[in-house]
Amino acid sequence: MLKIVHSSDGRVRLKYAGLSGSQAASIEQTLLNKAGVSYVRCNLPCRSIIVGFDQNVINTNSIADIVLRKYASAPIQKSCDTKSCHCECEDITKNSTFGSRKVEFAGLSAALGVSVLSKRLLGRTVASTVFSPLWFVTSLFALPLLIKASREIVKEKKIALSGFLGTGVAAALGAGETMTALEILWVNSGSELIQGYVTEKSRKSIKNILDLTAKTAFVLRDGEEIELPVEKVCCGDVVSIRTGEKISVDGKIFKGEALINEAPVNGRQELMHRKKGDYVYAGTYVQEGLVYVQAEKVGDCTYLSRILQAVEESLVNKAPMELAADRLAKKLVSAGFVMTLGTWLLTRSFYRTLSVMLVMTCPCSTILAASSAVSAAIGNAASKGILIKGGRYLEEAGSQESFCFDKTGTITTDIPEVTDVYIARGYSREKLLKYAYAAELHNRHPMAAAVRALAESEGITGSKHAVCETILGMGVVADTEYGKVYVGSRKLMSKFNIKTSHLDKQKLKMTEDGSSVLYVAREKKIVGMVAVRTLEKAGVGNVINSLRADGVKELILVTGDEEQTAMPLSEKLGFDKTYCSVLPNKKAEIIAEIQQKHKVTMIGDGINDVLALAQADLGIAMGAAGSDVAIEAADIALVDDDLEKIIYLRDLSHKTKEIINQNFMLAAGSNVIGAGLGLFGLINPVMAGLLHIAHTGGVLANSSRLTAYKGEEHD
């Protein structure tokens, strides 16, 4: 009945199979009353509950226990079934509610149109008294609103928007004012349709990501290849992919090799050579070759599907400006009630009162002022490979005062090169490269890739090892066919009491150009050193200058590299401070120190920088394609390694705030003008409804400009 589908710092997604509409509001209210819970949303089509919380006050298990004790009756389950990774919810890109809203609005428009045209064109008035055909039709359309209104009034002991409108509709139907009731329903339905359109448009812009994946797959079953729909592929199946075909699962290559186009996932345009043991992702495709991939993640658990889930959840992680809009909308409902009652007392005119009600009691334009802009901006960012986990992170992206950068893989390229090799007495270059290649065989760090590339270029391949331990910020220790091999920094050597002091002079020469040095040892004896250098990425200087021009007070380099390697690059790029030889846990401590003075953004590769990303006010993971760690730890993830997207992100944040302020002025101004016109009888109820829909459409049109926003020009 209850399952924890996904959880990360400050956010959890529960799936409750028995979730009903009547329970949703109660669950939301119950959880919101608990200390530490910041937001709750019940997604009925998916039978899921998304909760944001302060993990210093309440934890995931406590939240699940609250729901379990009060509503569910079965033990809590953890994540996906190992036999199938398909989630049980409907495709969230198919919004059936939006479709029903269109049908409802079309029906109300037809009923209202027939009545108005019959009177204006034919001179015949459609009967609208109690128990007339039109009265029964209107009552049928009003039933859902009346049920919702009665629930608000009876169960929740409050009169909110639905209660207010429902009361007005009921009063109109009871008095035989069927046309009045029909007009209220038409305006309310049109407002809900516009709000539904905003959500649908955001989801459709994200759905394009999933369209990258294949629809069918060739699976090996009982020694034969059979073609199956992708949704029927299971974890453990072996899928064959040939030249020109899309990869439909996440998994390791079981057999074969190919040139893989990974641009749809990570933005890299160069073709990647993938062979046995390499990992590939759904959405990429085989440019040339044949590979057999053993599926590890399928369906809703593939990387692309997790992107969709992360962005879908981001639409409920509201920015402060969105929350302010919600509060303002609630106040407008109260103000609308007072103004409507006041108009009735002053004028005793049913139609003037109705006009004011139709303008003031549907605050959708005020709600949409922020939410539509944020949704459009998040959708735009997603299409450019920037995954923003919520409106509040979009808002904060433009107000951060300090930026901390990791070095390797963040401001430098992720494809370094070996610049020098030093061989200790008694060893050969071939032996050193064999030892290093065997130890680094499955290490995905860029420096390890450089070592492997050099070894392979000199004909060294085919090494195997049984056990490999990666020590964050230090290097690797591996049991290989040549014995125990150590490859890493001086810290790694010190940790295992391997002496390196006799190589200090040689190391100093190797690092004069900013190269990093990897020590290679076998059975605790130094074999030699490998110097590896990474160049700064194209445009990194422009990013530093643009951030400074945009008001960022401090630009800081935080790296595990030693001073000789980090300082030349830091001075060249103009960082204000540089922290060298920093281990992952120390990075988080440095972030905490800076937070005492400024809001801090940490930008890292999402692996060694996980603690710092989580500690920072805003964590941005670079080149996060396929990295679960990056998706979970960061607030914003860039699927490729284009650092200039940070400048675009700042511009988008500023532009979104500007659009929201414009929307607030448009919504509030048109409400005041419309209410005044209604009070003095200058507009009738139909015109009031049209005005309401017009200014809501104006807000939506203004927000839609963000879908095509390309950023500002920077010198």
Side-chain angles (χ1 to χ4, degrees), residues 32-47:
L32 285 172
N33 287 336
K34 297 297 179 182
V37 175
S38 56
Y39 69 84
V40 182
R41 188 190 70 133
C42 291
N43 189 333
L44 282 174
C46 283
R47 299 292 185 264

Side-chain angles (χ1 to χ4, degrees), residues 298-371:
V298 300
D300 295 334
C301 288
T302 62
Y303 170 64
L304 287 176
S305 292
R306 293 200 307 278
I307 289 178
L308 180 66
Q309 183 186 61
V311 179
E312 189 266 348
E313 288 182 0
S314 76
L315 298 178
V316 302
N317 190 4
K318 293 189 175 183
M321 294 189 77
E322 287 183 276
L323 296 174
D326 289 347
R327 290 192 294 270
L328 179 59
K330 291 178 181 178
K331 290 179 181 179
L332 281 176
V333 172
S334 300
F337 179 82
V338 172
M339 292 181 69
T340 302
L341 181 61
T343 301
W344 170 252
L345 294 175
L346 287 173
T347 66
R348 298 292 175 173
S349 169
F350 192 84
Y351 284 97
R352 291 190 185 189
T353 302
L354 177 59
S355 296
V356 173
M357 174 191 284
L358 291 176
V359 171
M360 290 299 298
T361 59
C362 294
C364 60
S365 60
T366 307
I367 295 172
L368 287 174
S371 63

Side-chain angles (χ1 to χ4, degrees), residues 43 118 153 156 308 328 342 457 486 554 594 606 649:
N43 189 333
S118 179
I153 297 170
E156 300 177 25
L308 180 66
L328 179 59
S457 70
Y486 308 79
E554 243 182 349
I594 301 171
L649 180 63

Side-chain angles (χ1 to χ4, degrees), residues 108-141:
L108 287 167
S109 298
L112 189 62
V114 167
S115 301
V116 172
L117 292 175
S118 179
K119 182 176 181 179
R120 296 295 174 89
L121 298 180
L122 303 177
R124 297 179 180 178
T125 301
V126 176
S128 58
T129 56
V130 177
F131 303 129
S132 65
L134 183 61
W135 186 91
F136 279 110
V137 170
T138 304
S139 298
L140 184 63
F141 279 115

Side-chain angles (χ1 to χ4, degrees), residues 145-166:
L145 178 63
L146 295 176
I147 292 173
K148 188 175 181 180
S150 64
R151 185 182 299 125
E152 284 183 358
I153 297 170
V154 176
K155 292 186 177 181
E156 300 177 25
K157 309 297 182 184
K158 66 179 182 181
I159 299 180
L161 178 61
S162 296
F164 191 25
L165 292 177

